[in-house]
């Protein structure tokens, strides 16, 4: 079935460092792809999304490009801040379904 | 933007009691809501899909009699953990899909942390 494989953490970076969190997927057809962020003790917040190949989702300095040829949706940010410390989930919604498939999550800690 | 309210945010109770968790869509109607469970430092696991006016669809391995789901209106779904035991302790998250914007992402609640003593 459709699934997501996400780089496992934890990831620890210094403030202003470059961030990449890898995400690859396996799917039938053309899924929609998402990145969610979960701050400590909270639920999930949608960070960005892409619904078709070559789409780039972006929000709050984060970006991810839907790459069909490599079945990837890597999350990047050029300069992380302490406030970016959270758990990041890559997710997929199959084209013919309603539910979501989540990656294992990557815990990011940014140190001052 | 679209908001999903989940209540309570945290509950601590004794083993053997039943706990009800509510998931409300505040500014949109949801014919479909989803219930997830998240173990510590793990990803979200879909437990069931809640369908307004009909029976919920449970994922394989999820006990229907243990986790009762009711979706009685277009804005409310409830999850009742019956006769809860310590192994049921977890973080439960609901999400809802806007019935008139079906291609939009699901909107998530803030989660309920359930601790069974």
């Amino acid at each position: 079935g459709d699934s997501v494989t996400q780089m496992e953490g934890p990831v620890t970076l210094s403030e202003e460092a470059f961030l990449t969190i890898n995400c690859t997927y396996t799917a039938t057809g053309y899924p929609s792809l998402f990145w969610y962020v979960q701050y400590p003790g909270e639920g999930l917040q949608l960070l960005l999304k892409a619904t078709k190949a070559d789409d780039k989702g972006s929000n709050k300095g984060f970006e991810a490009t839907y790459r069909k040829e490599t079945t990837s949706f890597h999350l990047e940010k050029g300069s992380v801040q302490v406030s970016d410390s959270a758990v990041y989930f890559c997710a997929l919604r199959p084209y013919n379904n309603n539910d979501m498939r989540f990656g294992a999550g990557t815990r990011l800690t940014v140190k001052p | 933007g679209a908001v999903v309210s989940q209540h309570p945010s945290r509950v601590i109770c004794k083993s053997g009691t039943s706990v009800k968790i509510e998931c409300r869509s505040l500014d949109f109607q949801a014919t479909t809501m989803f219930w997830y469970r998240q173990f510590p430092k793990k990803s979200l696991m879909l437990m069931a899909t809640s369908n307004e006016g009909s029976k919920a669809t449970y994922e394989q391995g999820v006990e229907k009699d243990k986790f009762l789901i009711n979706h009685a209106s277009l804005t409310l779904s409830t999850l009742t953990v019956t006769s809860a035991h310590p192994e049921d302790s977890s973080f439960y998250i609901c999400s809802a899909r806007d019935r008139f914007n079906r291609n939009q992402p699901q909107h998530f609640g803030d989660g309920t942390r359930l601790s069974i003593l």
Side-chain angles (χ1 to χ4, degrees):
Chain A
D2 294 5
S3 65
V4 171
T5 301
Q6 181 177 346
M7 180 179 87
E8 294 196 24
V11 174
T12 302
L13 296 173
S14 297
E15 207 165 21
E16 299 184 2
F18 183 86
L19 168 72
T20 299
I21 301 177
N22 289 339
C23 172
T24 57
Y25 68 90
T26 302
T28 303
Y30 302 94
S32 295
L33 302 173
F34 307 85
W35 277 100
Y36 283 86
V37 57
Q38 185 179 33
Y39 297 101
E42 299 183 11
L44 270 67
Q45 299 177 27
L46 178 64
L47 182 59
L48 53 84
K49 66 173 182 176
T51 57
K52 61 182 187 297
D54 300 325
D55 267 3
K56 176 187 282 189
S58 61
N59 185 25
K60 299 180 181 179
F62 291 90
E63 292 184 342
T65 301
Y66 189 143
R67 302 260 187 227
K68 194 172 189 306
E69 63 275 13
T70 55
T71 62
S72 65
F73 193 55
H74 305 322
L75 181 68
E76 296 182 337
K77 186 174 185 180
S79 176
V80 294
Q81 305 301 313
V82 173
S83 57
D84 294 327
S85 298
V87 180
Y88 292 82
F89 291 94
C90 186
L92 170 157
R93 185 178 69 203
Y95 82 103
N96 63 345
N97 208 335
N98 296 323
D99 67 12
M100 304 280 283
R101 314 294 166 82
F102 287 88
T106 301
R107 182 175 299 277
L108 170 67
T109 301
V110 180
K111 296 186 175 181
Chain B
V3 176
V4 171
S5 173
Q6 191 171 337
H7 178 81
S9 59
R10 185 178 182 94
V11 58
I12 302 172
C13 59
K14 294 181 178 180
S15 183
T17 58
S18 294
V19 179
K20 179 184 285 187
I21 303 170
E22 294 186 346
C23 182
R24 293 180 184 272
S25 55
L26 296 186
D27 53 0
F28 64 96
Q29 294 181 336
T31 52
T32 306
M33 293 187 177
F34 303 90
W35 288 96
Y36 296 86
R37 181 173 180 176
Q38 185 180 28
F39 293 96
K41 300 184 179 181
K42 298 292 184 183
S43 187
L44 281 73
M45 179 189 75
L46 179 66
M47 298 175 64
T49 302
S50 172
N51 304 300
E52 187 269 335
S54 64
K55 292 182 179 180
T57 304
Y58 289 81
E59 295 299 301
Q60 191 173 11
V62 179
E63 298 178 59
K64 300 178 182 180
D65 296 333
K66 177 72 171 177
F67 299 99
L68 299 179
I69 292 174
N70 184 283
H71 193 153
S73 78
L74 288 170
T75 59
L76 174 64
S77 175
T78 61
L79 169 67
T80 300
V81 183
T82 62
S83 187
H85 292 286
E87 59 266 28
D88 299 323
S89 298
S90 195
F91 193 57
Y92 293 86
I93 302 177
C94 74
S95 69
R97 191 169 64 99
D98 187 330
R99 67 184 297 207
F100 297 119
N101 290 286
R102 300 166 78 89
N103 291 326
Q104 293 301 308
Q106 299 170 20
H107 306 285
F108 285 82
D110 283 340
T112 297
R113 185 162 301 284
L114 174 63
S115 300
I116 308 298
L117 304 178

